[in-house]
Each structure stands twice: as structure tokens, then as C-alpha cells.
Amino acid sequence: MKVIKVKNYEELSRTAATIIAGVILSKPDCILGLATGSSPVGTYDQLAAMYEEGILDFSHVKSVNLDEYEGLARDHDQSFGYFMDQLFFSKVNLKEENIFLVDGAADAAKQEKRFNDFLKDNKIDIQILGIGNNGHIGFNEPDSYFTASAHKVELAEETIKANARFFEKESDVPRSAITMGMYGIATAAKVILVATGAAKAPAIKKLLESDHVDPQLPCSILHICEDATVIVDKDLYELTK
């Protein structure tokens, strides 16, 4: 696992986007694993700018998103599908038929199967990750064991509280989600985790202090990934010392 320390969020976003761009340029029909949340927004802005400048072409790229809230359809303004439409898909030439999103409004068991069928047939070439305050990646929460397959998960109270800022009130935050499991993440050819902000420092500190893989710290799965890179800004890195 490599660690890249950068000056600020802008450099973090540019660094992550450059790595992703390298994969797209070397394999135009690659599969991108995408994440939501505030951390990767700048990366998507950078990738969209590269598309506008004619550097990148997404017409043969496939994408798969990590997760989705149960109960939220793609057109709900707090769904992750809506997030991706607004902040990335509408800004590049990714084809709709090449976009894989969980349908949060559909039957959860059927969506789990659909997700697992996709992952069985499609190895992710590069997966971008954010990280929760408790170390979760996707919606894989701390637990006594890792779940390999895509699955429904009950969200931890800490996660619900952290995500409440995106909703009118905390009670509006969905209590469950469907997420990619650890197999899809761990078998990606490349994984990038981007982290910024003091709230992420305890989880990042634990990740960097030990190479032990612990389901109580889901992000620790990066230690066994084929090619994993953690990108943190200077302020966050200083808090991990």
C-alpha cells in the first residue's frame, strides 16, 4: 500500500484524477469503480475537465458505483445515482448503457443478485474510495467479519449522523443501503482511497499504523489489495502522527 501526501484538497483531487486518467488512456474500455461523498467530488471535476480538453474519452468506459441507499430512486436528490448524474455523468460522454447503478427503490434481494452478477463478469480496473469516520468503505461497516459479496447493510449510527448533513433532518437519512462487498474492492486491479478532513484522522491513523487486516476497520482491506494507494492532504497526515 502506497501513501501519497499532498498539500491540499486541490492537489489531492488532481493526483487521484491523474492516476485514473492513466488507466483510461492505457485501457479505453476499462471499468471504473466510483464512489460518492464529498471526498471524490474534486476528482470528478478534474476528470470532467480532462474530457472537455479532449484528453480523455469515456465513450468505451464502463462504470460501477459502490453503493446506494435502500429506498431512494435515482431521481431522488439524495440518492447516489442523482449525485453521480449531477457531478460526473452529465459532464462526460459515458454512455448510459455502460453505467451500473444499484436501484435503491427496487427489491433489495434482486439488486444484490444483479450487483453480484455484474461483479462476477467484470473486474474493476480502478476503484476510487472515500472513507467514513469509522473506517468504512462503501457501506461496509465495522463488523466481526468481512462480507465478500454485494449485500444489504444496516447503517451504523455514526454513519447516519455523519450523512445527516446532506438531508433536511437526521430522521430522513435511510437506515439501510446496498453496497459492494469486499471481494469486488479487494480484487480491483488498482484502488485509490482519498481522504481529507480532521474527522477522518482516527481511521487513517489506524490504517497507517498497522498492516493488520481487521473487519473492525474495513479500510484495512487495502493492505491485501493488488495495487492500493492512499492519498491524504498534509493537514490530515499531520493528525495521524
Side-chain angles (χ1 to χ4, degrees):
M1 186 182 78
K2 300 184 290 292
V3 179
I4 300 176
K5 180 178 67 173
V6 296
K7 291 183 294 186
N8 51 38
Y9 180 71
E10 182 180 357
E11 187 179 351
L12 176 147
S13 300
R14 188 166 57 247
T15 302
T18 299
I19 296 171
I20 294 169
V23 173
I24 296 170
L25 291 170
S26 63
K27 186 179 180 182
D29 61 347
C30 66
I31 298 177
L32 300 183
L34 304 177
T36 52
S38 55
S39 296
V41 170
T43 301
Y44 297 147
D45 287 343
Q46 293 282 337
L47 291 171
M50 292 181 195
Y51 164 70
E52 287 293 334
E53 293 166 12
I55 298 170
L56 293 180
D57 174 19
F58 292 84
S59 62
H60 298 291
V61 170
K62 292 182 180 179
S63 73
V64 54
N65 263 73
L66 275 171
D67 45 26
E68 181 59 273
Y69 286 121
E70 186 179 20
L72 300 191
R74 184 171 175 177
D75 60 359
H76 189 288
D77 64 4
Q78 292 302 329
S79 77
F80 294 151
Y82 185 91
F83 174 103
M84 295 305 305
D85 284 334
Q86 297 298 307
L87 298 179
F88 188 55
F89 296 153
S90 62
K91 298 180 180 182
V92 298
N93 63 331
L94 254 171
K95 295 177 180 176
E96 179 63 28
E97 61 266 28
N98 288 338
I99 294 171
F100 182 93
L101 293 165
V102 170
D103 182 355
D107 179 79
K110 290 180 179 178
Q111 289 301 299
E112 288 176 27
K113 182 181 185 306
R114 177 172 162 263
F115 204 169
N116 285 314
D117 286 347
F118 177 90
L119 293 171
K120 181 176 64 177
D121 296 333
N122 297 277
K123 178 177 177 177
I124 296 168
D125 291 291
I126 185 163
Q127 174 70 57
I128 186 166
L129 300 172
I131 182 172
N133 296 351
N134 61 4
H136 76 240
I137 50 176
F139 272 132
N140 293 283
E141 298 281 16
D143 206 336
S144 57
Y145 58 89
F146 288 126
T147 300
S149 60
H151 60 285
K152 177 179 172 178
V153 61
E154 300 300 320
L155 302 182
E157 282 301 315
E158 185 175 357
T159 299
I160 292 168
K161 290 182 183 299
N163 290 358
R165 68 189 188 276
F166 300 115
F167 292 80
E168 186 174 335
K169 52 187 184 297
E170 185 177 313
S171 60
D172 291 338
V173 183
R175 267 43 187 174
S176 58
I178 297 170
T179 185
M180 184 186 297
M182 288 304 195
Y183 180 81
I185 295 169
T187 58
K190 287 180 178 290
V191 176
I192 303 173
L193 187 149
V194 292
T196 183
K200 308 298 174 69
I204 293 295
K205 181 178 175 66
K206 290 178 184 176
L207 175 64
L208 300 184
E209 281 182 341
S210 171
D211 61 3
H212 180 59
V213 178
D214 182 359
Q216 287 292 331
L217 185 71
C219 62
S220 66
I221 199 74
L222 268 67
H223 290 303
I224 62 169
C225 290
E226 182 179 336
D227 181 348
T229 302
V230 178
I231 308 174
V232 295
D233 63 54
K234 179 170 64 70
D235 291 343
L236 171 55
Y237 186 77
E238 290 300 318
L239 291 172
T240 67
K241 292 184 176 179

